[in-house]
Amino acid sequence: MLFDSPAYFLFLIPVVLLYWRLSHRGQNIFLLLASYFFYGWWDWRFLALMIGSTSVDFLIAQKIAPTRSDFNRKKWFVFSLVLNFTILGVFKYFDFFAGSFLGALDRLGVHNIPLPLIRILLPPGISFYTFQEVAYIVDVYKGRIEASRSFFDYGLFISLFPHLIAGPIQRPGHLLPQVQRERIFDADRFFDGIMLIFSGLIRKCVVADNCAVLANAVFGGQFGPASLRGFQRLQRYCPRQRSIAGFPLYGQFPPALPRQSSSGFLASLAHQPEYLAS
């Protein structure tokens, strides 16, 4: 479900309308379920992995707070780190090592091993939510924040859909308190959110996508020999402008629902330095 797809707007509009008809606790539960639906849209098997990882870290956080006189605090802390990084490493780098392993077997005379048997799909956003879980575990262990007593609050902090796929990673001390506070409707912030969506759409669909068409034509040789100086400039210019114009889709869409919820959720995303530097 891409941010510029019709499916996303069919998802976003009912979420925003229903959100304001609920109490604070109802809002968090509803946004958590909406975020799980958003993530599961890609593949429900990836959703099971994220929920499982979130549940384990939620339970471990209860055991590692500095206020607990549990001698196994450090063991639980290390276990959480090893588990999270192992899951990330397996899904992110298994294919790389599997390819190297197949190459080694091929040189040893073992051929025709079917790749589908050892290939693992990479779940979208796994790096973002894994590092966010690790940041939470570290902050709880060091006493910087208290362990959340509500799975709904913690689960929403991890999986809030505006930042789940595109990031960036949110510090627990920044986002979690916003999840736990009540939100009040603000018409000005709601309008700001709509403008962010509109601006991001224009830059992505009008500028970036058309730069992509031009860049593909240039690299495909449809404008003549690529050795001409003008085409060399186009080869450099079009991909760069496509990237620059495409950033606002992910830099401005994520704050849209937060702005409309008037809570300050991820509002800093609109001013991320990497977007401005581009």
Side-chain angles (χ1 to χ4, degrees):
M1 191 186 299
L2 300 176
F3 286 143
D4 59 342
S5 67
Y8 179 73
F9 287 95
L10 291 176
F11 162 78
L12 178 63
I13 293 173
V15 166
V16 173
L17 294 178
L18 290 174
Y19 173 86
W20 283 113
R21 302 182 66 87
L22 301 171
S23 64
H24 171 246
R25 179 175 174 80
Q27 287 175 342
N28 283 358
I29 295 174
F30 175 65
L31 279 184
L32 177 62
L33 295 176
S35 297
Y36 283 161
F37 176 83
F38 173 82
Y39 191 77
W41 183 270
W42 303 87
D43 192 318
W44 64 268
R45 294 171 296 180
F46 298 152
L47 176 61
L49 175 66
M50 184 177 68
I51 293 176
S53 175
T54 302
S55 301
V56 169
D57 282 325
F58 172 76
L59 295 174
I60 290 177
Q62 313 302 317
K63 299 178 178 294
I64 65 173
T67 55
R68 291 180 60 92
S69 57
D70 189 342
F71 295 106
N72 293 318
R73 280 184 63 241
K74 188 172 183 178
K75 292 181 180 179
W76 283 113
F77 173 67
V78 173
F79 172 74
S80 174
L81 295 182
V82 171
L83 178 64
N84 279 296
F85 287 124
T86 298
I87 293 174
L88 179 62
V90 167
F91 281 92
K92 203 168 184 68
Y93 300 109
F94 181 86
D95 280 357
F96 170 77
F97 288 111
S100 300
F101 179 66
L102 284 180
L105 290 180
D106 187 67
R107 286 191 292 272
L108 293 174
V110 182
H111 308 291
N112 301 322
I113 297 179
L115 279 175
L117 293 181
I118 60 173
R119 183 162 290 176
I120 294 181
L121 293 176
L122 178 65
I126 187 172
S127 296
F128 292 124
Y129 73 73
T130 297
F131 281 110
Q132 195 150 310
E133 289 174 348
V134 168
Y136 171 77
I137 288 294
V138 170
D139 281 2
V140 170
Y141 181 77
K142 292 185 175 293
R144 295 170 184 160
I145 61 171
E146 294 184 3
S148 175
R149 299 298 177 183
S150 168
F151 176 80
F152 300 113
D153 290 352
Y154 172 68
L156 182 58
F157 157 69
I158 296 297
S159 63
L160 184 64
F161 70 86
H163 76 89
L164 180 57
I165 301 298
I169 299 167
Q170 292 292 305
R171 295 191 62 84
H174 169 67
L175 180 57
L176 187 57
Q178 297 182 53
V179 172
Q180 295 168 331
R181 289 197 302 264
E182 291 193 14
R183 275 85 70 179
I184 300 174
F185 181 81
D186 185 320
D188 290 335
R189 294 181 67 86
F190 188 90
F191 180 77
D192 287 345
I194 294 175
M195 290 298 99
L196 283 173
I197 290 177
F198 181 74
S199 175
L201 272 177
I202 292 296
R203 296 188 188 186
K204 169 62 171 63
C205 298
V206 176
V207 180
D209 287 354
N210 284 299
C211 281
V213 173
L214 185 57
N216 292 336
V218 171
F219 282 104
Q222 298 177 26
F223 288 105
S227 59
L228 296 179
R229 180 173 297 180
F231 293 142
Q232 290 176 345
R233 290 178 178 175
L234 281 175
Q235 286 176 334
R236 294 193 299 267
Y237 175 81
C238 292
R240 177 175 178 270
Q241 290 304 313
R242 180 189 180 188
S243 298
I244 293 174
F247 271 129
L249 179 69
Y250 299 100
Q252 294 178 204
F253 262 50
L257 178 61
R259 289 288 181 94
Q260 291 164 357
S261 66
S262 305
S263 65
F265 274 7
L266 309 178
S268 61
L269 273 176
H271 308 288
Q272 287 297 310
E274 57 266 34
Y275 302 133
L276 297 180
S278 297

